[in-house]
Amino acid sequence: MLTIYGIKNCDTMKKAFRWLDGQGIAYQFHDYKKAALDEKTLDDWLNRVGWQAIVNQKGTTWRKLALDKNTLDNQSIKPIILQNLSMIKRPLLVLDNNDIVLGFDVEQWQHFAPSTMLRAGQAQ
């Protein structure tokens, strides 16, 4: 089963939930506001896709931070992300094969949907 990470009241998250529900795809939701994020999970994501992919650099949280953004790396940004979870691109999906999908893009999501639905159907 895939896991979708984000913030419940985010408009993009709401679109993602509607799309997943409409496709009949089973998922778990991890709400940063209620459950935070453990450092080990963030380390895994940073090592696999890098901070530039994970951070929503167009978001207000990112723009408000007074950082020398040219000197950041995966380790130096980690505590900043953990203190500002809303700066993580939403949604962040972890598929049941452990692949990471960032953001809501229907065309991209349609590529994983058939295999995810099949696996979800087999698990029932």
Side-chain angles (χ1 to χ4, degrees):
M1 178 181 304
L2 67 84
T3 303
I4 183 168
Y5 291 82
I7 299 168
K8 187 175 184 174
N9 292 328
C10 168
D11 288 339
T12 304
M13 293 295 298
K14 290 176 184 178
K15 290 177 192 175
F17 293 138
R18 280 192 299 272
W19 189 88
L20 290 168
D21 293 340
Q23 300 297 312
I25 298 174
Y27 60 90
Q28 293 176 265
F29 172 52
H30 181 102
D31 189 338
Y32 299 133
K33 296 277 186 186
K34 293 183 180 177
L37 183 67
D38 65 272
E39 188 173 342
K40 183 179 175 189
T41 299
L42 181 57
D43 273 335
D44 178 53
W45 296 348
L46 290 170
N47 290 331
R48 292 173 57 205
V49 298
W51 75 266
Q52 297 91 337
I54 290 174
V55 171
N56 177 5
Q57 297 179 42
K58 295 178 183 177
T60 56
T61 303
W62 173 254
R63 289 181 293 176
K64 288 181 182 180
L65 293 174
L67 300 170
D68 182 356
K69 295 166 182 161
N70 295 321
T71 62
L72 294 172
D73 62 21
N74 286 347
Q75 289 306 307
S76 63
I77 200 165
K78 184 172 54 174
I80 298 165
I81 293 173
L82 289 170
Q83 290 295 313
N84 300 278
L85 293 171
S86 62
M87 71 191 292
I88 298 174
K89 196 175 287 184
R90 296 184 298 265
L92 187 150
L93 296 180
V94 177
L95 305 179
D96 57 355
N97 67 1
N98 215 27
D99 283 348
I100 294 174
V101 179
L102 292 159
F104 179 64
D105 179 333
V106 172
E107 286 184 27
Q108 180 187 30
W109 284 31
Q110 287 173 338
H111 290 290
F112 71 78
S115 62
T116 302
M117 285 189 291
L118 177 62
R119 284 190 290 267
Q122 289 173 343
Q124 292 177 352

